[in-house]
Amino acid sequence: MIREGASHYYTTSPVFHPVCLSSSWGPPVEPLLCLGLALRLPGRRYRPQICSGARIYFILEEGRVRIESVKCGTAELKMGSLLSYFDRLCGRQRGKEEERHLRANDRPFNLSYQYADNAIKTSKYNIFTFLPLNLFEQFQRLANAYFLFLFCLQLIPQISSLSWFTTAVPLILVLSISAVKDASDDINRHKCDKQVNNRKVDVLIDGELKSEKWMNVQVGDIIKLENNQFVTADLLLLSSSEPLNLVYIETAELDGETNLKVKQALTITGEMGDSIEGLARFNGEVRCEPPNNRLDKFKGTLSLNGQTYSLDNEKVLLRGCTLRNTEWCFGLVIFGGPDTKLMQNCGKTTFKRTSIDHLMNVLVLCIFGFLACMCAILAVGNAIWEAKEGSVFTAFLPRPPGVNTPLSAFLAFWSYVIILNTVVPISLYVSVEIIRLGNSFYIDWDRKMYYPKNDTPAQARTTTLNEELGQIKYIFTDKTGTLTQNIMSFNKCSINGKSYGELLDFNGHRMEITEKTKKVDFSWNTLADQKFVFHDNSLVETVREGNPEAHAFFRLLALCHTVMPEEKKDGELYYQAQSPDEGALVTAARNFGFVFRARTPETITTVEMDTKITYDLLAVLDFNNVRKRMSVIVRNPEGKMTLYCKGADTIIYERLHPSCNKLMKVTSRHLSEYAGDGLRTLALAYKDLDESYMDDWMKRHHEASVAMDDREERLDQLYEEIEKDLLLLGATAVEDKLQDGVPQTIEQLAKADIKIWVLTGDKQETAENIGYSCNMLREEMKDVFIVAADTAEGVREELQKARRTMCPGAPEKASVIEARAGLFWRLKTQTVEDEKVDGEYGLVINGHSLAFALEKDMQLELLRTACMCQTVICCRVTPLQKAQVVELVKKYKQAVTLAIGDGANDVSMIKAAHIGVGISGQEGMQAVLSSDFSFAQFRYLQRLLLVHGRWSYLRMCKFLRYFFYKNFTFTFVHFWYAFFCGFSAQTVYDEWFITLYNLVYTALPVLGMSLFDQDVNDRWSFQYPQLYSPGQLNQYFSKKAFVRCMLHSCYSSLILFFIPWAAMYDTVRDDGKDIADYQSFALLAQTCLLMAVNVQLCLDTHYWTAVNQFFVWGSLSAYFAITFTMYSNGMFLIFTSVFPFIGTARNSLNQPNVWLTILLTSILCVLPVVAFRFVLMQLRPTINDKVRYKMRKEAVPAPTPRRHPRKVSTRRSGYAFSHAQGYGELVTSGRFLLKRPTKSRSTLFSQVDSPLAQNQPQQYRTITEVPEEPQST
């Protein structure tokens, strides 16, 4: 059977011609020859002949024969799946997609294009690849590869003077610990993937709706979504339960906004409704753009019944959205799994490593070079000694056959490589992992970062980045849900020149409003939202007294909006607003007696002071970004026509009647006060209209609304004409409630010299308001630059103008310093240095301008200008732009960055930054799942950085300095001993001491210091955020600190070798017996070493705990206990060759001069350190020294409430609503509320309360004007 579309061709008397089919999209399919395939000659009708009970289905398309499937009995093999399998098997990748072509309800057709299915994969390993891949990754770490090489050397008996297990056991331990940790992380990723991929959705298959897993959904499938379900894939909306085929979606996972968006299906597909038969017959073909990461754009066409329909972004539902307030909808899968726009925006998962990790790799490389130099010196010494002195002993100790002086030196070189390997002990990496794990547990266990309201503790989701938290220079944060709660509350208002919303005492001072403050009683209003919070009773009294201006004010709020009501029971109202601002304002009007009850395309019904009134809705003058206002024209039952308008105050003021000048000045003062408090303000005005004028205007409005050319321009002219000579009613002040402690957190982080950039998908006015609320933007700033040009040249000019204003003397061209870094200095780095600026500035740039600024030829201009500013706010940015901004700063500033967000739109930014922090808030878990650390509130960030991050960095640096000191000291003693043992590669210490030195004797004390030490406690860390700055400058551990550590070790090793050597030289015991033997010297040298490094550890420890004490004294006790046991007669008799130091401990350690030598070496090792630190503290004390001194002198003052004088702002808050243009046209549509008959309609509204109902009262404190105290110099 050969099929082309719906046609089938049959033929008889076939002529057999065996062929080998090949595909332009796959490898030759030679195995099909065995099926007995035959085709007729070209130009003739044909059919395949099938043998062995098999049948091959073909598709004729564009002159080609394409295999659709092979069917044998009940088994069917899809050709697309077969070719996809062969491609993967042969290592072939799908070519770059130029255009997507798909057909509805035709899986074979779509499978032939090998489109990705809907399964997602974020894991790295599977059960077969884990071991080889993980070992490959671990051996990319230079030290692990080195120890593997060392282990191989130790298997060669001619050069090994140490047992093989001294390296093998620690190496296996390190690899196992890292492998277990990596496996645990990847198992969690597998679980997350499985959870998402196994979600169920209804898919239309063979004319029936079947429940399928998400992972089994294919491109071209038609799926059914129900209310509150996540969108399975990127869908073309076909039909919905709502009028006009509308659906409401929440896009919080994509752009961070929780207000709902509206999407609308094509009329031709919407007519199918929920008819399964009609949907099953639907065979439309879609041609559209290939997979990309542009969330706001979509281009495509739908071909159906010979007609072509245009598709745009308003017809598409994206994966990651949530269906709201829509009973059901059907959609056609366009992009699945990794091709969806959500996944395209997620960015690549990169293995993050700290700057200390990178530095350690470089240092390890340098240590290898240093080790080779030491071994070369000793090998040369061996050659010289063998030539001059060794020949004398050959009579007594003959050389092995074939061994001469050069070969002896060569073998000595590798012997010393083994002996001196402790300069890079493998236990270093084990200890580092343990320290990081311990510091991660501190974050998990911190009760001060636990959010009881949601039962959400802080979580360190990775254990490899803790110390990087102490080096952050730039923070990139989302706004909605991160800085704010995304809950709007009606806070204050100004009506006819009087301000409401504040409580004043008898002296006229503002009173603090707390949860205990008495709330306004709205029980008189049976339709009020009982959870609405307001504290000023005077406004209720004004309304109930019948004040006409107050009634007109709230009447405007109840009429001028695009809110949709839902009434389930008598009196139970639920509002669905596209903008949370509108929801707050309509809810406020409801509580003050003007209740919006219902709307039709022609009417609006309200209940005003218990009286039901229905207004005729004559026109909606819709909002857009240019108008920044919205108006409605209504007629009341008496026939009076009125225009109600609300919008940005500057826009409204331009259109007021001259009689309002006095009221405008008073209202402006109130607006400045509201804006100073960071509130979002709107001005309200109205105008009574004449009947005859309205008849003419409505006629012209209808003509303009149906015009095919210049429709928008003609409507704008009509709107401008009628929105004149307005009468001012007042202004509203709505608060987008900040999360608790956000301004204080930002202030603390700024004191720590951390720069905060806000990258948000919200509009400019909203972001500016939050900037002022958070004290990121301040009136005291010299200037706040707005970059909003629409062309590349315009953006360049605005950036250059801002830069020249801030730093007139700066060069026009950026100075880029190029250098080399990384392992083997292979990485090229480019650094743009900070430029000094006099004063504080802010920068606000929108997403359109940012797109130009991020182009290659303008990147440095953006970076220079932005880094001169104290605050940077980027508005309307896409998730990819967020990541690009982070990458730009990482590339040219060589600083540690942190990104924090709470939605899927922040994932790419979180992955791009050095540290990613997810807030488990209202927008799902995508950000948390991609983050390195997570918690519930933004304010916990200061504790994460200023306490945990700083302590982790301090502890890690102390650990590394001490670890390198004790191991270099240990190794250098071997080096000096070589000059006294004929360069024979003999060890100066007992072999068991070498084995246990890092694993037992010194492991726990240094871990105790690295896990519990702190220079100052958490209270003092908050009191002095400046303590954080040394980490940003890498002052605690760097290449210079490493060199100082080596010099210190060199000095200590000289003391630890030559003092015991001199003390033991020609020394006898009290009974006259000789004590100067090798074993006694080895015991004395190793005991002096252990004492000296423990004393040094005690000097480095600032914070002592019982655990530290136990570890230090316990390790010393363990040393002596193990030493006396191993050097006992019993161990010698049992294992004679393993424990040769019989009696050495009891014979040496009972001599007073041995203990005197131990005391002397310990004092000489630490005396220079104590003296140097004392002098340095007196002459150049650090910030840590100063704070520790102050801590010893006084207690931490109790935190006092901050009192700020009222701010009076000269700025204006813009029209901050975020609903889409054109929504007014929808609500006035004649078909808008014509409900399609449905079966028992389920609950449509998941949010049973208005957003305002979840508010907590705004916290105020009594504010008094306090003059600034003169600062002492």
Side-chain angles (χ1 to χ4, degrees), residues 929-948:
L929 293 176
S930 301
S931 66
D932 305 304
F933 301 89
S934 67
F935 42 72
Q937 294 281 288
F938 181 83
R939 67 177 183 270
Y940 298 148
L941 182 62
Q942 64 174 323
R943 186 167 182 85
L944 182 71
L945 300 186
L946 301 185
V947 178
H948 291 288

Side-chain angles (χ1 to χ4, degrees), residues 726-885:
L726 303 177
L727 300 178
L728 183 64
L729 282 173
T732 63
V734 175
E735 181 186 18
D736 184 359
K737 294 181 71 66
L738 290 174
Q739 291 187 12
D740 294 337
V742 168
Q744 292 82 3
T745 299
I746 290 175
E747 181 182 0
Q748 287 284 87
L749 296 176
K751 288 180 180 179
D753 198 25
I754 298 174
K755 294 186 177 181
I756 301 180
W757 293 21
V758 177
L759 310 177
T760 177
D762 272 359
K763 59 192 303 180
Q764 179 180 321
E765 293 88 347
T766 308
E768 283 187 61
N769 286 332
I770 296 302
Y772 280 99
S773 300
C774 297
N775 292 328
M776 297 176 67
L777 298 176
R778 296 179 295 277
E779 287 294 316
E780 297 78 22
M781 286 183 167
K782 285 191 173 182
D783 201 353
V784 176
F785 303 105
I786 308 294
V787 179
D790 294 327
T791 63
E793 196 56 39
V795 173
R796 188 188 303 275
E797 290 177 2
E798 291 184 358
L799 289 173
Q800 290 176 345
K801 181 181 178 182
R803 175 174 54 77
R804 291 164 185 160
T805 302
M806 291 185 286
C807 191
E812 285 298 311
K813 192 173 181 180
S815 175
V816 180
I817 301 174
E818 295 186 355
R820 291 273 182 176
L823 196 60
F824 300 109
W825 291 269
R826 291 177 301 175
L827 298 179
K828 292 182 179 179
T829 61
Q830 295 176 304
T831 306
V832 177
E833 292 187 337
D834 291 335
E835 298 171 83
K836 293 184 179 179
V837 176
D838 183 20
E840 292 185 351
Y841 296 88
L843 175 68
V844 179
I845 181 170
N846 65 30
H848 191 70
S849 301
L850 186 63
F852 292 117
L854 286 172
E855 292 177 359
K856 193 170 184 180
D857 61 338
M858 215 185 301
Q859 283 183 346
L860 294 182
E861 193 65 53
L862 169 66
L863 186 70
R864 291 180 68 193
T865 306
C867 290
M868 288 181 182
C869 299
Q870 185 71 18
T871 298
V872 179
I873 298 177
C874 303
C875 322
R876 287 298 187 198
V877 294
T878 65
L880 189 61
Q881 284 178 330
K882 292 183 178 184
Q884 289 173 338
V885 171

Side-chain angles (χ1 to χ4, degrees), residues 1168-1235:
V1169 177
V1170 174
F1172 176 75
R1173 291 183 180 178
F1174 175 78
V1175 173
L1176 196 65
M1177 195 177 297
Q1178 298 301 315
L1179 299 181
R1180 294 174 58 188
T1182 63
I1183 180 67
N1184 301 67
D1185 297 330
K1186 295 175 182 177
V1187 174
R1188 278 201 303 270
Y1189 176 79
K1190 193 170 185 178
M1191 184 174 63
R1192 288 193 294 267
K1193 295 294 183 183
E1194 58 185 75
V1196 179
T1200 56
R1202 301 183 61 85
R1203 300 173 182 270
H1204 293 286
R1206 172 193 287 277
K1207 299 183 205 171
V1208 178
S1209 175
T1210 57
R1211 74 183 180 90
R1212 283 288 179 267
S1213 171
Y1215 190 92
F1217 286 6
S1218 55
H1219 63 9
Q1221 177 182 355
Y1223 196 62
E1225 183 180 350
L1226 287 175
V1227 301
T1228 56
S1229 168
R1231 296 176 56 200
F1232 187 78
L1233 294 176
L1234 300 178
K1235 296 285 184 182

Side-chain angles (χ1 to χ4, degrees), residues 382-396:
N382 177 271
I384 295 173
W385 191 90
E386 285 289 344
K388 291 187 177 182
E389 305 290 340
S391 57
V392 178
F393 295 94
T394 54
F396 306 99

Side-chain angles (χ1 to χ4, degrees), residues 508-779:
H509 293 147
R510 293 170 63 190
M511 293 176 59
E512 178 183 8
I513 295 178
T514 66
E515 293 184 1
K516 296 181 179 179
T517 304
K518 185 178 180 181
K519 302 178 181 65
V520 171
D521 182 13
F522 290 104
S523 59
W524 55 274
N525 182 359
T526 57
L527 296 176
D529 184 342
Q530 296 303 319
K531 294 183 179 180
F532 177 83
V533 176
F534 203 75
H535 297 280
D536 188 356
N537 279 288
S538 62
L539 181 55
V540 177
E541 294 170 359
T542 301
V543 172
R544 300 191 71 181
E545 288 171 358
N547 183 285
E549 289 82 7
H551 280 206
F553 181 92
F554 287 109
R555 184 178 296 115
L556 186 153
L557 294 182
L559 295 173
C560 185
H561 55 77
T562 57
V563 172
M564 296 298 297
E566 178 88 4
E567 185 172 352
K568 297 179 181 178
K569 298 179 182 178
D570 188 30
E572 288 192 21
L573 277 175
Y574 305 93
Y575 292 146
Q576 182 53 62
Q578 269 218 324
S579 161
D581 309 65
E582 284 202 320
L585 295 176
V586 175
T587 303
R590 167 185 175 179
N591 275 63
F592 285 99
F594 289 76
V595 185
F596 168 56
R597 290 297 298 265
R599 90 157 60 241
T600 69
E602 297 84 19
T603 64
I604 296 178
T605 302
T606 63
V607 175
E608 300 181 3
M609 307 304 291
D610 297 329
T611 302
K612 184 176 181 180
I613 300 177
T614 299
Y615 293 86
D616 293 330
L617 180 60
L618 304 180
V620 175
L621 283 56
D622 203 4
F623 160 86
N624 65 37
N625 286 320
V626 177
R627 285 170 42 78
K628 294 188 177 181
R629 64 190 184 276
M630 172 192 175
S631 300
V632 294
I633 301 174
V634 297
R635 179 192 285 115
N636 67 12
E638 289 77 28
K640 181 180 178 181
M641 289 183 290
T642 307
L643 179 145
Y644 292 106
C645 181
K646 68 180 180 183
D649 42 22
T650 52
I651 301 297
I652 299 296
Y653 284 175
E654 295 172 356
R655 291 159 176 77
L656 292 179
H657 192 274
S659 62
C660 298
N661 287 343
K662 184 177 180 181
L663 177 59
M664 184 176 66
K665 291 180 181 179
V666 178
T667 306
S668 295
R669 188 170 67 249
H670 293 159
L671 283 170
S672 297
E673 294 174 358
Y674 301 159
D677 289 335
L679 304 179
R680 307 169 66 166
T681 59
L682 291 173
L684 312 183
Y686 75 101
K687 176 184 179 181
D688 292 328
L689 299 172
D690 180 69
E691 181 81 29
S692 59
Y693 171 77
M694 271 303 299
D695 289 341
D696 177 64
W697 188 88
M698 288 295 295
K699 181 180 179 182
R700 289 183 288 140
H701 179 266
H702 177 72
E703 293 173 355
S705 62
V706 297
M708 297 300 295
D709 299 323
D710 302 325
R711 179 187 301 175
E712 288 76 15
E713 291 78 5
R714 293 176 62 179
L715 287 174
D716 283 342
Q717 291 177 1
L718 286 171
Y719 294 167
E720 286 288 338
E721 174 189 322
I722 200 170
E723 291 173 329
K724 289 183 179 178
D725 296 329
L726 303 177
L727 300 178
L728 183 64
L729 282 173
T732 63
V734 175
E735 181 186 18
D736 184 359
K737 294 181 71 66
L738 290 174
Q739 291 187 12
D740 294 337
V742 168
Q744 292 82 3
T745 299
I746 290 175
E747 181 182 0
Q748 287 284 87
L749 296 176
K751 288 180 180 179
D753 198 25
I754 298 174
K755 294 186 177 181
I756 301 180
W757 293 21
V758 177
L759 310 177
T760 177
D762 272 359
K763 59 192 303 180
Q764 179 180 321
E765 293 88 347
T766 308
E768 283 187 61
N769 286 332
I770 296 302
Y772 280 99
S773 300
C774 297
N775 292 328
M776 297 176 67
L777 298 176
R778 296 179 295 277
E779 287 294 316

